[in-house]
Coordinates of all heavy atoms in Angstrom, one line a residue:
L1 N 0.8 -1.2 0.0 CA 0.0 0.0 0.0 C 0.9 1.2 0.0 O 1.4 1.6 1.0 CB -0.9 0.0 1.2 CG -2.0 -1.1 1.3 CD1 -2.6 -1.1 2.7 CD2 -3.0 -0.9 0.3
K2 N 1.0 1.9 -1.1 CA 1.8 3.1 -1.3 C 1.3 4.2 -0.4 O 0.1 4.5 -0.4 CB 1.9 3.5 -2.7 CG 2.8 4.7 -3.0 CD 2.8 5.0 -4.4 CE 3.8 6.2 -4.6 NZ 3.9 6.6 -6.0
G3 N 2.2 4.8 0.4 CA 1.8 5.9 1.3 C 1.1 5.5 2.6 O 0.6 6.3 3.3
A4 N 1.1 4.2 2.9 CA 0.4 3.7 4.1 C 1.3 3.8 5.3 O 2.5 3.7 5.2 CB 0.0 2.2 3.9
A5 N 0.7 4.1 6.4 CA 1.4 4.1 7.7 C 1.6 2.6 8.1 O 0.7 1.8 8.0 CB 0.6 4.8 8.8
V6 N 2.8 2.2 8.4 CA 3.1 0.8 8.7 C 3.5 0.8 10.2 O 4.2 1.6 10.8 CB 4.3 0.3 7.9 CG1 4.7 -1.1 8.3 CG2 4.0 0.5 6.4
S7 N 2.9 -0.2 10.9 CA 3.2 -0.4 12.4 C 3.2 -1.9 12.7 O 2.6 -2.7 12.0 CB 2.2 0.4 13.2 OG 0.9 -0.1 13.0
V8 N 3.9 -2.2 13.8 CA 3.9 -3.6 14.3 C 3.0 -3.6 15.5 O 3.0 -2.7 16.3 CB 5.4 -3.9 14.8 CG1 5.4 -5.3 15.5 CG2 6.3 -3.9 13.6
E9 N 2.2 -4.6 15.6 CA 1.2 -4.8 16.7 C 1.3 -6.1 17.3 O 1.6 -7.2 16.6 CB -0.2 -4.6 16.1 CG -0.5 -3.3 15.6 CD -2.0 -3.1 15.3 OE1 -2.8 -4.0 15.4 OE2 -2.4 -2.0 14.8
T10 N 1.2 -6.1 18.7 CA 1.0 -7.4 19.4 C -0.2 -7.3 20.3 O -0.5 -6.2 20.7 CB 2.3 -7.7 20.3 OG1 2.5 -6.6 21.2 CG2 3.5 -7.8 19.4
E11 N -0.9 -8.4 20.5 CA -2.0 -8.4 21.3 C -2.0 -9.6 22.2 O -1.6 -10.7 21.8 CB -3.3 -8.4 20.5 CG -3.6 -7.2 19.7 CD -4.8 -7.2 18.9 OE1 -5.8 -7.8 19.3 OE2 -4.9 -6.7 17.8
L12 N -2.5 -9.5 23.4 CA -2.7 -10.6 24.3 C -4.2 -10.5 24.8 O -4.6 -9.4 25.1 CB -1.9 -10.5 25.6 CG -0.4 -10.6 25.4 CD1 0.4 -10.2 26.6 CD2 0.1 -11.9 24.9
Y13 N -4.9 -11.6 24.7 CA -6.3 -11.5 25.1 C -6.9 -12.9 25.4 O -6.3 -13.9 25.2 CB -7.2 -10.9 23.9 CG -7.1 -11.7 22.6 CD1 -8.1 -12.7 22.3 CD2 -6.1 -11.5 21.7 CE1 -8.0 -13.4 21.1 CE2 -6.0 -12.2 20.5 CZ -7.0 -13.1 20.3 OH -6.9 -13.8 19.1
S14 N -8.1 -12.9 26.0 CA -8.8 -14.1 26.3 C -9.9 -14.1 25.2 O -10.7 -13.2 25.0 CB -9.4 -14.0 27.7 OG -10.2 -15.1 27.9
D15 N -10.0 -15.3 24.5 CA -10.9 -15.3 23.4 C -12.4 -15.5 23.9 O -12.6 -15.5 25.1 CB -10.5 -16.4 22.4 CG -10.7 -17.8 22.8 OD1 -11.3 -18.0 23.9 OD2 -10.3 -18.7 22.1
S16 N -13.3 -15.7 23.0 CA -14.7 -15.9 23.4 C -15.0 -17.1 24.2 O -16.0 -17.2 24.9 CB -15.6 -16.0 22.1 OG -15.4 -14.9 21.3
F17 N -14.1 -18.0 24.3 CA -14.3 -19.2 25.1 C -13.4 -19.2 26.3 O -13.0 -20.2 26.9 CB -13.9 -20.5 24.2 CG -14.8 -20.5 23.0 CD1 -14.2 -20.2 21.8 CD2 -16.1 -20.9 23.1 CE1 -15.0 -20.2 20.6 CE2 -16.9 -21.0 21.9 CZ -16.3 -20.6 20.7
S18 N -12.9 -18.0 26.7 CA -12.0 -17.8 27.8 C -10.7 -18.5 27.7 O -10.2 -19.0 28.7 CB -12.7 -18.1 29.2 OG -13.9 -17.3 29.3
K19 N -10.2 -18.7 26.5 CA -8.9 -19.3 26.3 C -7.9 -18.2 25.9 O -8.2 -17.3 25.1 CB -9.0 -20.4 25.3 CG -9.9 -21.6 25.7 CD -9.9 -22.7 24.7 CE -10.8 -23.8 25.2 NZ -10.7 -25.0 24.4
F20 N -6.7 -18.4 26.5 CA -5.6 -17.5 26.2 C -5.2 -17.4 24.7 O -5.2 -18.4 24.0 CB -4.4 -17.9 27.0 CG -3.2 -17.0 26.8 CD1 -3.2 -15.7 27.2 CD2 -2.1 -17.5 26.1 CE1 -2.0 -14.9 27.0 CE2 -1.0 -16.7 25.8 CZ -1.0 -15.4 26.3
A21 N -4.9 -16.2 24.2 CA -4.5 -16.1 22.8 C -3.6 -14.9 22.7 O -3.6 -14.0 23.6 CB -5.8 -15.8 22.0
Y22 N -2.8 -14.9 21.7 CA -1.9 -13.8 21.3 C -1.7 -13.7 19.9 O -1.8 -14.7 19.2 CB -0.6 -13.8 22.1 CG 0.3 -15.0 21.9 CD1 1.2 -15.1 20.8 CD2 0.2 -16.1 22.7 CE1 2.0 -16.2 20.6 CE2 1.0 -17.2 22.5 CZ 1.9 -17.2 21.5 OH 2.6 -18.3 21.2
L23 N -1.3 -12.6 19.4 CA -0.9 -12.4 18.0 C 0.2 -11.4 17.8 O 0.4 -10.5 18.7 CB -2.1 -12.1 17.1 CG -2.9 -10.8 17.4 CD1 -2.2 -9.6 16.7 CD2 -4.3 -10.9 16.9
C24 N 0.9 -11.5 16.8 CA 1.9 -10.5 16.4 C 1.8 -10.3 14.9 O 1.8 -11.2 14.1 CB 3.3 -11.0 16.8 SG 4.6 -9.8 16.5
G25 N 1.8 -9.0 14.5 CA 1.6 -8.7 13.1 C 2.0 -7.3 12.7 O 2.5 -6.6 13.5
V26 N 1.9 -7.1 11.4 CA 2.2 -5.8 10.8 C 0.9 -5.2 10.2 O 0.1 -5.9 9.6 CB 3.3 -6.0 9.8 CG1 3.5 -4.6 9.1 CG2 4.5 -6.5 10.3
T27 N 0.7 -3.9 10.4 CA -0.5 -3.3 9.8 C 0.0 -2.3 8.8 O 1.0 -1.6 8.9 CB -1.3 -2.5 10.9 OG1 -0.6 -1.5 11.4 CG2 -1.8 -3.5 11.9
F28 N -0.9 -2.1 7.8 CA -0.7 -1.1 6.7 C -2.0 -0.3 6.7 O -3.1 -0.9 6.5 CB -0.5 -1.7 5.4 CG 0.7 -2.7 5.3 CD1 0.6 -4.0 5.7 CD2 2.0 -2.2 5.0 CE1 1.7 -4.8 5.7 CE2 3.1 -3.0 5.0 CZ 2.9 -4.3 5.3
Q29 N -2.0 1.0 7.0 CA -3.2 1.8 7.2 C -3.1 3.1 6.4 O -2.1 3.7 6.3 CB -3.3 2.1 8.7 CG -4.5 2.9 9.1 CD -4.7 2.9 10.6 OE1 -4.5 2.0 11.3 NE2 -5.1 4.1 11.1
K30 N -4.3 3.4 5.7 CA -4.4 4.6 4.9 C -5.7 5.3 5.2 O -6.6 4.7 5.7 CB -4.4 4.2 3.4 CG -3.0 3.7 2.9 CD -3.0 3.5 1.4 CE -2.9 4.9 0.8 NZ -2.6 4.9 -0.6
E31 N -5.7 6.6 4.9 CA -6.9 7.4 5.1 C -8.0 7.0 4.1 O -7.7 6.9 2.9 CB -6.5 8.9 5.0 CG -7.8 9.8 5.2 CD -7.4 11.2 5.1 OE1 -6.3 11.6 5.3 OE2 -8.4 12.0 4.7
L32 N -9.2 6.9 4.6 CA -10.4 6.6 3.7 C -11.2 7.9 3.6 O -11.5 8.4 2.5 CB -11.2 5.5 4.3 CG -12.5 5.1 3.5 CD1 -12.0 4.5 2.2 CD2 -13.3 4.0 4.3
T33 N -11.5 8.5 4.7 CA -12.2 9.8 4.8 C -11.5 10.6 5.9 O -10.5 10.2 6.5 CB -13.7 9.7 5.1 OG1 -13.8 9.2 6.4 CG2 -14.4 8.8 4.1
G34 N -12.1 11.8 6.2 CA -11.5 12.7 7.2 C -11.1 12.0 8.5 O -10.1 12.3 9.1
Y35 N -12.0 11.2 9.0 CA -11.8 10.6 10.3 C -11.9 9.1 10.3 O -12.1 8.5 11.4 CB -12.9 11.2 11.4 CG -12.7 12.6 11.6 CD1 -13.6 13.5 11.0 CD2 -11.7 13.1 12.4 CE1 -13.5 14.9 11.3 CE2 -11.5 14.4 12.6 CZ -12.4 15.3 12.0 OH -12.2 16.7 12.3
L36 N -11.8 8.5 9.2 CA -11.9 7.1 9.0 C -10.7 6.5 8.1 O -10.5 7.0 7.1 CB -13.2 6.6 8.4 CG -13.6 5.2 8.4 CD1 -13.7 4.6 9.8 CD2 -14.9 5.0 7.7
D37 N -10.0 5.5 8.7 CA -9.0 4.9 7.9 C -9.3 3.5 7.6 O -10.2 2.9 8.2 CB -7.7 4.8 8.7 CG -7.0 6.2 8.9 OD1 -7.5 7.2 8.3 OD2 -6.0 6.3 9.7
Y38 N -8.6 2.9 6.6 CA -8.8 1.4 6.4 C -7.4 0.8 6.3 O -6.4 1.5 6.3 CB -9.5 1.2 5.0 CG -8.6 1.5 3.8 CD1 -7.9 0.6 3.1 CD2 -8.6 2.8 3.3 CE1 -7.1 0.9 2.0 CE2 -7.9 3.2 2.2 CZ -7.1 2.2 1.6 OH -6.4 2.5 0.5
G39 N -7.4 -0.5 6.6 CA -6.1 -1.1 6.6 C -6.2 -2.6 6.6 O -7.2 -3.2 6.5
I40 N -5.0 -3.2 6.6 CA -4.8 -4.7 6.5 C -3.8 -5.0 7.7 O -2.8 -4.4 7.9 CB -4.2 -5.2 5.2 CG1 -5.1 -4.9 4.1 CG2 -3.8 -6.6 5.3 CD1 -6.3 -5.8 4.0
N41 N -4.2 -6.0 8.4 CA -3.3 -6.5 9.5 C -2.9 -8.0 9.1 O -3.8 -8.8 8.9 CB -4.0 -6.5 10.8 CG -3.1 -6.8 12.0 OD1 -2.4 -7.8 12.0 ND2 -3.3 -6.0 13.0
V42 N -1.6 -8.3 9.0 CA -1.1 -9.6 8.7 C -0.1 -10.1 9.7 O 0.6 -9.2 10.3 CB -0.5 -9.7 7.3 CG1 -1.4 -9.4 6.2 CG2 0.7 -8.8 7.2
G43 N -0.1 -11.4 10.0 CA 0.8 -11.9 11.0 C 0.5 -13.3 11.4 O -0.1 -14.1 10.6
L44 N 0.9 -13.6 12.6 CA 0.7 -15.0 13.2 C -0.2 -14.9 14.4 O 0.0 -13.9 15.2 CB 2.0 -15.6 13.5 CG 2.9 -15.9 12.3 CD1 4.3 -16.4 12.7 CD2 2.3 -17.0 11.4
I45 N -1.0 -15.8 14.6 CA -1.9 -15.9 15.8 C -1.8 -17.2 16.4 O -1.7 -18.3 15.8 CB -3.4 -15.5 15.4 CG1 -4.2 -15.3 16.6 CG2 -4.0 -16.6 14.5 CD1 -5.6 -14.7 16.3
H46 N -1.9 -17.2 17.8 CA -2.0 -18.4 18.6 C -3.3 -18.3 19.5 O -3.4 -17.3 20.2 CB -0.8 -18.7 19.4 CG -1.1 -19.8 20.5 ND1 -1.0 -21.1 20.1 CD2 -1.4 -19.7 21.8 CE1 -1.3 -21.8 21.2 NE2 -1.5 -21.0 22.2
E47 N -4.1 -19.3 19.5 CA -5.2 -19.5 20.5 C -5.1 -20.9 21.0 O -4.8 -21.8 20.2 CB -6.6 -19.2 19.8 CG -6.8 -17.8 19.4 CD -8.2 -17.5 18.9 OE1 -8.9 -18.4 18.7 OE2 -8.5 -16.3 18.7
D48 N -5.2 -21.0 22.3 CA -5.0 -22.4 22.9 C -5.8 -23.5 22.3 O -5.3 -24.6 22.1 CB -5.4 -22.3 24.4 CG -4.3 -21.7 25.2 OD1 -3.1 -21.5 24.7 OD2 -4.5 -21.3 26.4
H49 N -7.0 -23.2 21.8 CA -7.8 -24.3 21.2 C -7.4 -24.7 19.8 O -7.8 -25.7 19.2 CB -9.3 -23.9 21.1 CG -9.6 -22.7 20.2 ND1 -9.8 -22.9 18.9 CD2 -9.7 -21.4 20.5 CE1 -10.0 -21.7 18.3 NE2 -9.9 -20.8 19.3
L50 N -6.5 -23.9 19.1 CA -6.1 -24.2 17.7 C -5.3 -25.5 17.7 O -5.5 -26.3 16.7 CB -5.2 -23.1 17.2 CG -5.9 -21.8 16.8 CD1 -4.9 -20.7 16.4 CD2 -6.9 -22.0 15.7
V51 N -4.5 -25.8 18.6 CA -3.8 -27.1 18.6 C -4.7 -28.2 18.6 O -4.6 -29.2 17.8 CB -2.8 -27.1 19.8 CG1 -2.1 -28.5 19.8 CG2 -1.8 -26.1 19.7
D52 N -5.8 -28.2 19.5 CA -6.8 -29.2 19.5 C -7.7 -29.3 18.3 O -8.0 -30.3 17.8 CB -7.7 -29.1 20.8 CG -6.9 -29.2 22.1 OD1 -5.9 -29.9 22.1 OD2 -7.4 -28.6 23.1
D53 N -8.0 -28.1 17.8 CA -9.0 -28.0 16.6 C -8.3 -28.4 15.3 O -8.9 -29.1 14.5 CB -9.6 -26.6 16.5 CG -10.5 -26.2 17.7 OD1 -10.8 -27.2 18.4 OD2 -10.9 -25.1 17.8
I54 N -7.1 -27.9 15.0 CA -6.5 -28.1 13.7 C -5.1 -28.6 13.8 O -4.5 -28.8 12.7 CB -6.6 -26.8 12.8 CG1 -5.8 -25.6 13.5 CG2 -8.0 -26.4 12.6 CD1 -5.7 -24.4 12.7
G55 N -4.5 -28.8 15.0 CA -3.2 -29.3 15.1 C -2.1 -28.4 14.8 O -0.9 -28.8 14.7
L56 N -2.3 -27.1 14.8 CA -1.3 -26.1 14.6 C -1.2 -25.1 15.8 O -2.2 -24.7 16.3 CB -1.6 -25.2 13.3 CG -1.6 -26.0 12.0 CD1 -2.1 -25.1 10.9 CD2 -0.3 -26.6 11.7
Y57 N 0.0 -24.8 16.1 CA 0.3 -23.9 17.2 C 0.1 -22.4 16.8 O -0.5 -21.6 17.5 CB 1.7 -24.1 17.8 CG 1.9 -23.3 19.1 CD1 1.4 -23.8 20.3 CD2 2.6 -22.1 19.1 CE1 1.6 -23.1 21.5 CE2 2.8 -21.4 20.2 CZ 2.3 -21.9 21.4 OH 2.5 -21.2 22.6
L58 N 0.6 -22.1 15.6 CA 0.5 -20.7 15.1 C -0.2 -20.8 13.7 O 0.1 -21.7 13.0 CB 1.9 -20.1 14.9 CG 2.7 -19.7 16.1 CD1 4.1 -19.3 15.7 CD2 2.0 -18.6 16.9
V59 N -1.0 -19.8 13.5 CA -1.7 -19.8 12.2 C -1.5 -18.4 11.6 O -1.7 -17.4 12.3 CB -3.2 -20.1 12.4 CG1 -4.0 -19.9 11.2 CG2 -3.4 -21.4 13.0
P60 N -1.2 -18.3 10.3 CA -1.2 -17.0 9.7 C -2.5 -16.3 9.5 O -3.5 -17.0 9.4 CB -0.5 -17.3 8.3 CG -0.8 -18.7 8.1 CD -0.9 -19.4 9.4
Y61 N -2.6 -15.0 9.5 CA -3.9 -14.3 9.4 C -3.7 -13.1 8.5 O -2.6 -12.6 8.4 CB -4.5 -14.0 10.7 CG -3.7 -12.9 11.5 CD1 -4.0 -11.5 11.2 CD2 -2.8 -13.2 12.4 CE1 -3.3 -10.6 11.9 CE2 -2.1 -12.3 13.1 CZ -2.3 -10.9 12.8 OH -1.7 -10.0 13.5
L62 N -4.8 -12.7 7.9 CA -4.9 -11.4 7.2 C -6.3 -10.9 7.4 O -7.3 -11.5 7.0 CB -4.7 -11.7 5.7 CG -4.7 -10.4 4.8 CD1 -3.7 -10.6 3.6 CD2 -6.0 -10.0 4.3
F63 N -6.3 -9.8 8.2 CA -7.6 -9.2 8.6 C -7.7 -7.8 8.1 O -6.9 -6.9 8.4 CB -7.7 -9.1 10.1 CG -7.7 -10.4 10.8 CD1 -7.2 -10.5 12.1 CD2 -8.2 -11.6 10.2 CE1 -7.2 -11.7 12.8 CE2 -8.2 -12.8 10.9 CZ -7.7 -12.9 12.2
P64 N -8.7 -7.5 7.2 CA -9.0 -6.1 6.9 C -9.7 -5.4 8.0 O -10.4 -6.0 8.8 CB -9.9 -6.2 5.6 CG -10.5 -7.6 5.8 CD -9.6 -8.4 6.6
Y65 N -9.6 -4.1 8.1 CA -10.3 -3.3 9.2 C -10.5 -1.8 8.7 O -10.0 -1.3 7.8 CB -9.4 -3.4 10.4 CG -8.1 -2.6 10.4 CD1 -8.1 -1.2 10.6 CD2 -7.0 -3.3 10.1 CE1 -6.8 -0.6 10.6 CE2 -5.7 -2.6 10.0 CZ -5.7 -1.2 10.3 OH -4.5 -0.6 10.2
L66 N -11.5 -1.3 9.5 CA -11.8 0.2 9.5 C -11.4 0.8 10.8 O -11.7 0.1 11.9 CB -13.2 0.4 9.2 CG -13.7 0.0 7.8 CD1 -15.2 0.1 7.7 CD2 -13.0 0.8 6.7
Q67 N -10.9 1.9 10.9 CA -10.5 2.5 12.2 C -10.7 4.0 12.2 O -10.5 4.7 11.2 CB -9.0 2.3 12.4 CG -8.5 2.8 13.8 CD -7.1 2.4 14.0 OE1 -6.7 1.2 13.8 NE2 -6.3 3.3 14.5
T68 N -11.3 4.5 13.3 CA -11.5 5.9 13.5 C -10.2 6.6 13.7 O -9.3 6.0 14.2 CB -12.5 6.2 14.6 OG1 -12.0 5.7 15.8 CG2 -13.9 5.6 14.4
R69 N -10.1 7.9 13.4 CA -8.9 8.6 13.6 C -9.3 10.1 14.1 O -9.0 11.1 13.6 CB -8.1 8.8 12.3 CG -6.8 9.4 12.4 CD -6.0 9.3 11.2 NE -6.7 9.3 9.9 CZ -7.2 10.4 9.3 NH1 -7.0 11.6 9.8 NH2 -7.8 10.2 8.2
F70 N -9.9 10.0 15.3 CA -10.3 11.3 16.0 C -9.1 11.8 16.7 O -8.2 11.0 17.1 CB -11.4 11.1 16.9 CG -12.7 10.7 16.2 CD1 -13.2 9.4 16.4 CD2 -13.3 11.5 15.3 CE1 -14.4 9.0 15.8 CE2 -14.5 11.1 14.6 CZ -15.0 9.8 14.9
D71 N -9.0 13.1 17.0 CA -7.9 13.7 17.7 C -8.1 13.5 19.2 O -8.2 14.5 20.0 CB -7.8 15.1 17.4 CG -6.5 15.7 17.9 OD1 -5.5 14.9 18.2 OD2 -6.4 17.0 18.1
T72 N -8.3 12.2 19.7 CA -8.5 11.9 21.1 C -7.6 10.7 21.4 O -6.9 10.1 20.5 CB -9.9 11.4 21.3 OG1 -10.2 10.3 20.5 CG2 -10.9 12.6 20.9
A73 N -7.5 10.4 22.7 CA -6.6 9.3 23.1 C -7.3 7.9 22.8 O -6.6 6.9 22.7 CB -6.4 9.4 24.6
I74 N -8.6 7.9 22.6 CA -9.3 6.6 22.3 C -9.9 6.7 20.9 O -10.6 7.6 20.6 CB -10.4 6.4 23.4 CG1 -9.9 6.4 24.8 CG2 -11.1 5.1 23.1 CD1 -9.0 5.3 25.2
N75 N -9.7 5.6 20.2 CA -10.3 5.4 18.9 C -10.8 4.0 18.9 O -10.6 3.2 19.8 CB -9.3 5.7 17.8 CG -9.3 7.2 17.5 OD1 -10.2 7.7 16.8 ND2 -8.2 7.8 17.9
A76 N -11.5 3.6 17.7 CA -12.1 2.3 17.7 C -11.7 1.7 16.3 O -11.5 2.3 15.3 CB -13.6 2.3 17.8
R77 N -11.6 0.3 16.3 CA -11.3 -0.4 15.1 C -12.3 -1.5 14.9 O -12.6 -2.3 15.9 CB -9.9 -1.0 15.2 CG -9.5 -1.9 14.0 CD -8.2 -2.5 14.1 NE -7.1 -1.5 14.0 CZ -5.8 -1.8 14.1 NH1 -5.4 -3.1 14.3 NH2 -4.9 -0.9 14.0
L78 N -12.9 -1.6 13.7 CA -13.8 -2.7 13.4 C -13.0 -3.7 12.5 O -12.6 -3.3 11.4 CB -15.0 -2.2 12.7 CG -16.0 -3.2 12.1 CD1 -16.6 -4.0 13.2 CD2 -17.0 -2.6 11.2
T79 N -12.7 -4.9 13.0 CA -11.9 -5.8 12.2 C -12.9 -6.9 11.6 O -13.8 -7.4 12.3 CB -10.9 -6.5 13.1 OG1 -10.0 -5.5 13.6 CG2 -10.1 -7.6 12.3
I80 N -12.7 -7.2 10.4 CA -13.5 -8.3 9.7 C -12.7 -9.6 9.7 O -11.6 -9.6 9.1 CB -13.8 -7.9 8.3 CG1 -14.6 -6.6 8.3 CG2 -14.6 -9.0 7.6 CD1 -13.9 -5.4 7.7
I81 N -13.1 -10.6 10.4 CA -12.5 -11.8 10.5 C -13.2 -12.8 9.6 O -14.3 -13.2 9.8 CB -12.4 -12.4 12.0 CG1 -11.7 -11.4 12.8 CG2 -11.7 -13.7 12.0 CD1 -11.7 -11.6 14.3
P82 N -12.6 -13.1 8.5 CA -13.2 -13.9 7.4 C -13.7 -15.3 7.9 O -13.1 -15.8 8.9 CB -12.2 -14.1 6.3 CG -11.1 -13.1 6.6 CD -11.2 -12.8 8.1
P83 N -14.7 -15.9 7.3 CA -15.2 -17.2 7.7 C -14.2 -18.3 7.3 O -14.2 -18.7 6.1 CB -16.5 -17.3 7.0 CG -16.4 -16.4 5.8 CD -15.5 -15.3 6.2
V84 N -13.4 -18.7 8.2 CA -12.5 -19.8 8.0 C -12.8 -20.8 9.1 O -12.3 -20.6 10.2 CB -11.0 -19.4 8.0 CG1 -10.1 -20.6 7.8 CG2 -10.8 -18.4 6.9
G85 N -13.5 -21.9 8.9 CA -13.8 -22.9 9.9 C -14.9 -22.3 10.8 O -15.2 -23.0 11.8
N86 N -15.5 -21.2 10.6 CA -16.6 -20.6 11.4 C -17.5 -19.7 10.4 O -17.3 -19.8 9.2 CB -16.1 -19.8 12.5 CG -15.2 -18.7 12.1 OD1 -15.3 -18.1 11.0 ND2 -14.3 -18.2 13.0
K87 N -18.3 -19.0 11.0 CA -19.2 -18.1 10.2 C -18.6 -16.8 9.9 O -19.2 -16.0 9.2 CB -20.5 -18.0 10.9 CG -21.3 -19.3 11.0 CD -22.6 -19.1 11.7 CE -23.4 -20.4 11.8 NZ -24.6 -20.3 12.4
G88 N -17.4 -16.5 10.4 CA -16.8 -15.2 10.3 C -17.4 -14.3 11.4 O -18.5 -14.5 11.8
V89 N -16.6 -13.3 11.8 CA -17.1 -12.4 12.8 C -16.6 -10.9 12.5 O -15.6 -10.7 11.8 CB -16.6 -12.8 14.2 CG1 -17.3 -14.1 14.6 CG2 -15.2 -12.9 14.3
F90 N -17.2 -10.0 13.2 CA -16.7 -8.6 13.3 C -16.3 -8.4 14.7 O -17.0 -8.7 15.6 CB -17.8 -7.6 13.0 CG -18.3 -7.7 11.5 CD1 -19.4 -8.3 11.1 CD2 -17.5 -7.0 10.5 CE1 -19.8 -8.4 9.8 CE2 -17.9 -7.0 9.2 CZ -19.1 -7.7 8.8
A91 N -15.1 -7.9 14.9 CA -14.5 -7.6 16.2 C -14.3 -6.1 16.4 O -13.8 -5.5 15.5 CB -13.2 -8.4 16.4
V92 N -14.8 -5.6 17.5 CA -14.6 -4.2 17.7 C -13.6 -4.0 18.9 O -13.7 -4.6 19.9 CB -15.9 -3.5 18.1 CG1 -15.7 -2.0 18.5 CG2 -16.9 -3.6 17.0
Q93 N -12.6 -3.2 18.6 CA -11.5 -2.9 19.6 C -11.5 -1.4 19.9 O -11.7 -0.6 19.0 CB -10.2 -3.3 19.1 CG -10.0 -4.8 18.7 CD -8.7 -5.0 18.0 OE1 -8.6 -4.6 16.9 NE2 -7.8 -5.7 18.7
L94 N -11.2 -1.1 21.2 CA -10.9 0.3 21.5 C -9.4 0.4 21.5 O -8.7 -0.5 22.1 CB -11.5 0.6 22.9 CG -13.0 0.6 23.0 CD1 -13.5 0.9 24.4 CD2 -13.6 1.6 22.0
I95 N -8.9 1.4 21.0 CA -7.5 1.6 20.8 C -7.1 2.9 21.7 O -7.6 4.0 21.5 CB -7.0 1.8 19.4 CG1 -7.4 0.6 18.6 CG2 -5.6 2.2 19.2 CD1 -7.3 0.7 17.1
A96 N -6.2 2.7 22.6 CA -5.8 3.8 23.5 C -4.4 4.2 23.1 O -3.5 3.4 22.9 CB -5.8 3.3 25.0
R97 N -4.2 5.5 22.9 CA -2.9 6.0 22.5 C -2.2 6.5 23.8 O -2.8 7.2 24.6 CB -3.1 7.2 21.5 CG -2.0 7.5 20.7 CD -2.3 8.5 19.6 NE -3.5 9.3 19.9 CZ -4.0 10.2 19.2 NH1 -3.4 10.5 18.1 NH2 -5.1 10.9 19.4
F98 N -1.0 6.2 24.0 CA -0.2 6.6 25.1 C 0.8 7.6 24.7 O 1.4 7.6 23.7 CB 0.5 5.4 25.8 CG -0.5 4.4 26.3 CD1 -0.8 3.3 25.6 CD2 -1.0 4.5 27.6 CE1 -1.7 2.4 26.1 CE2 -1.9 3.6 28.1 CZ -2.3 2.5 27.4

């Protein structure tokens, strides 16, 4: 993505089934409108149930997203998780800037 802001992201969280998970990836983000950006997040993800479900410890991912860009410490990201072995989901995250 020419002209995109590039950043490295890591996340630790408890998934919908209260199982530990983490991911590490790179994001490419560009402006869509005045206060809304779009982007792609690619990397590797681990969720405790993946080993039992598919036999893999780490799984590659590619998630498109929309993110607000207000001049505040808190913004929001809507991530589209494609249907791979499930029905697909939309995940909403609050992003705090430090």
Side-chain angles (χ1 to χ4, degrees):
L1 295 170
K2 186 177 178 181
V6 179
S7 60
V8 174
E9 294 188 0
T10 59
E11 295 181 32
L12 300 169
Y13 59 93
S14 178
D15 71 8
S16 301
F17 305 102
S18 299
K19 295 186 179 186
F20 176 72
Y22 59 87
L23 62 83
C24 183
V26 177
T27 64
F28 302 90
Q29 184 169 318
K30 289 188 79 169
E31 181 179 334
L32 183 63
T33 66
Y35 296 105
L36 188 64
D37 290 351
Y38 70 96
I40 296 285
N41 188 316
V42 296
L44 295 171
I45 189 169
H46 165 79
E47 291 185 351
D48 282 345
H49 67 85
L50 288 175
V51 175
D52 295 334
D53 291 350
I54 61 175
L56 297 174
Y57 187 80
L58 290 171
V59 175
Y61 68 85
L62 185 145
F63 299 148
Y65 66 86
L66 295 172
Q67 182 175 315
T68 62
R69 191 174 24 85
F70 298 114
D71 191 21
T72 61
I74 303 292
N75 277 283
R77 179 183 289 178
L78 174 66
T79 301
I80 300 114
I81 302 173
V84 177
N86 61 26
K87 294 181 180 178
V89 295
F90 291 98
V92 177
Q93 298 170 292
L94 294 179
I95 298 171
R97 203 171 20 178
F98 295 96

